[in-house]
Amino acid sequence: MNLKGHDFLKLLDYTPAEIEGLLDLAADLKRKKKEGIPHRLCEGKNIALIFEKTSTRTRCAFEVAASDLGMGSTYLGPTGSQIGVKESIADTARVLSGMYDAIEYRGFGQEIVQELADYAEIPVINGLTNEYHPTQILADLLTIREHFKTLKGIKLVYMGDARYNMGRSLLIGCAKMGMQFTACAPEGYMPPQDLIETAEKIAEETGAVLSFDPSPESALRDADVVYTDIWVSMGEPEAEWEKRIPLMKPYQVNAANMAFAKKTAVFMHCLPSYHDEKTEIGRKVSEKFGLQNGIEVTDEVFESPASIVFEEAENRMHTIKAVLAATV
Ligand code: CP
Ligand code: NVA
């Protein structure tokens, strides 16, 4: 696997063998980290971290991964830099190319990270756009592989808003890795038709089985992994909650829906999650719409032994480290 100099913008650009290679590298780097074996594979390199949206996991994962690899990093947050306000993406790409060895970008449209990559002379890594979250999917795949010892044939059911970054990216990730993927969402919240067609073409080659089913009871049958994400994503208007709550309510991951899945099923979530009222938004939305014990997932499921969300969160760091080590 030689990915040196490659961008990491979406999983569609990577072959199943390359994805598997990144997972193997991540597993190896994870073992080295746990055993205290130094792995400063990018000594003396530097990365610029552009975040036009907020982050905990992705930012921390990039900073720790870079540090472990011997790289320096500069965080450019949603405010305080010239990006977008006084300087275009194209100019930013060329300025940063002169000082850094890689750029991470989190922001709005996929076309922005694509433009950055078009103008940059160094690898650009997508740290989340409205359309894709590819580093999250690598972490999810590593977590599933660790838990089930394989990816092939594992059935992942994505519950809720399947039209945004997580639903789309999981569709592609599962198709690439020969998994079973079911999007379980209300009308209007399935992945876009052209992406479904692309995923179906991939599935013909990998043996993946894809389905799109609005009924939780049938969608969740034989599920190994039940996955969800928040119902209103970063960058979407707050007013959307009003419309989403009644639409998404049947797709909440709660004990009743988990009971439709396999007894051995695990629960996954990219996080952050509104599983209780200990967050500002979780509290506000729960109060306004009379919800108790969580929004997209109940606190009961989130805190249950089936929940592997914190292993998943840790794997963000190991997988992002693999992407850096491979591309920089
Ligand atoms: N899952 C994820 O991307 O988390 P952050 O928004 O905290 O980076
Ligand atoms: N769909 C969520 C994912 C967060 C990691 C968002 O875009 O806000």
Side-chain angles (χ1 to χ4, degrees):
M1 182 179 72
N2 185 2
L3 298 176
K4 201 163 178 212
H6 286 225
D7 298 314
F8 191 75
L9 304 183
K10 55 189 189 304
L11 287 183
L12 276 171
D13 305 334
Y14 279 70
T15 66
E18 286 168 342
I19 296 169
E20 196 86 51
L22 286 170
L23 298 179
D24 291 343
L25 180 56
D28 184 53
L29 294 170
K30 181 173 181 175
R31 181 186 56 81
K32 289 198 167 92
K33 170 99 177 170
K34 304 264 174 209
E35 291 176 8
I37 302 168
H39 43 281
R40 297 176 70 85
L41 302 171
C42 302
E43 191 79 63
K45 308 275 186 189
N46 288 283
I47 183 167
L49 307 172
I50 305 173
F51 282 83
E52 298 206 278
K53 289 176 178 169
T54 53
S55 168
T56 295
R57 269 148 297 275
T58 310
R59 175 185 177 180
C60 295
F62 270 96
E63 292 200 9
V64 173
S67 164
D68 287 353
L69 291 169
M71 295 176 84
S73 60
T74 306
Y75 172 72
L76 298 162
T79 58
S81 83
Q82 316 286 27
I83 299 167
V85 185
K86 284 166 72 181
E87 194 152 43
S88 69
I89 289 293
D91 290 357
T92 303
R94 289 173 288 181
V95 169
L96 296 179
S97 291
M99 300 184 199
Y100 291 90
D101 303 284
I103 300 169
E104 177 277 353
Y105 176 84
R106 163 173 289 199
F108 295 87
Q110 183 72 13
E111 72 283 357
I112 304 172
V113 77
Q114 183 63 59
E115 188 183 0
L116 198 55
D118 290 344
Y119 282 90
E121 286 163 24
I122 53 180
V124 174
I125 301 164
N126 178 359
L128 178 146
T129 59
N130 296 345
E131 290 83 0
Y132 294 111
H133 196 5
T135 64
Q136 176 71 50
I137 308 309
L138 279 188
D140 298 342
L141 293 173
L142 181 66
T143 311
I144 296 167
R145 201 176 76 167
E146 285 173 346
H147 190 86
F148 294 100
K149 311 293 171 225
T150 182
L151 289 174
K152 270 241 165 339
I154 293 295
K155 178 171 177 182
L156 184 148
V157 180
Y158 182 86
M159 303 283 290
D161 177 10
R163 123 224 93 104
Y164 219 67
N165 42 25
M166 286 309 304
R168 289 175 192 232
S169 307
L170 282 166
L171 165 64
I172 298 305
C174 293
K176 289 259 176 188
M177 304 321 283
M179 295 170 64
Q180 298 184 63
F181 173 85
T182 302
C184 183
E187 210 191 308
Y189 289 86
M190 288 291 183
Q193 195 51 38
D194 57 339
L195 194 70
I196 292 180
E197 282 161 24
T198 304
E200 273 164 354
K201 283 204 191 84
I202 297 168
E204 279 171 24
E205 285 174 24
T206 62
V209 179
L210 313 175
S211 60
F212 304 88
D213 182 350
S215 156
E217 182 168 359
S218 51
L220 285 163
R221 196 171 301 138
D222 293 327
D224 297 295
V225 180
V226 182
Y227 200 117
T228 195
D229 181 18
I230 51 172
W231 292 342
V232 176
S233 287
M234 286 186 280
E236 293 197 282
E238 223 190 290
E240 283 293 309
W241 282 108
E242 191 99 37
K243 183 165 96 204
R244 299 275 165 91
I245 294 276
L247 260 177
M248 296 289 169
K249 194 80 198 296
Y251 302 91
Q252 183 189 58
V253 180
N254 50 34
N257 274 336
M258 280 302 281
F260 295 131
K262 279 188 188 165
K263 276 200 168 53
T264 51
V266 294
F267 168 70
M268 295 179 71
H269 191 310
C270 54
L271 307 182
S273 159
Y274 304 128
H275 61 95
D276 59 21
E277 286 161 35
K278 292 179 187 155
T279 64
E280 208 180 294
I281 296 177
R283 193 162 44 244
K284 232 168 74 185
V285 173
S286 297
E287 271 169 20
K288 187 159 176 203
F289 299 97
L291 296 169
Q292 277 155 357
N293 290 320
I295 301 177
E296 76 280 1
V297 55
T298 58
D299 198 43
E300 185 187 4
V301 171
F302 188 92
E303 297 292 354
S304 73
S307 175
I308 54 171
V309 296
F310 295 111
E311 288 93 315
E312 182 185 2
E314 180 190 323
N315 281 338
R316 296 296 311 284
M317 199 280 285
H318 305 299
T319 43
I320 281 171
K321 191 185 283 179
V323 173
L324 292 177
T327 60
V328 175

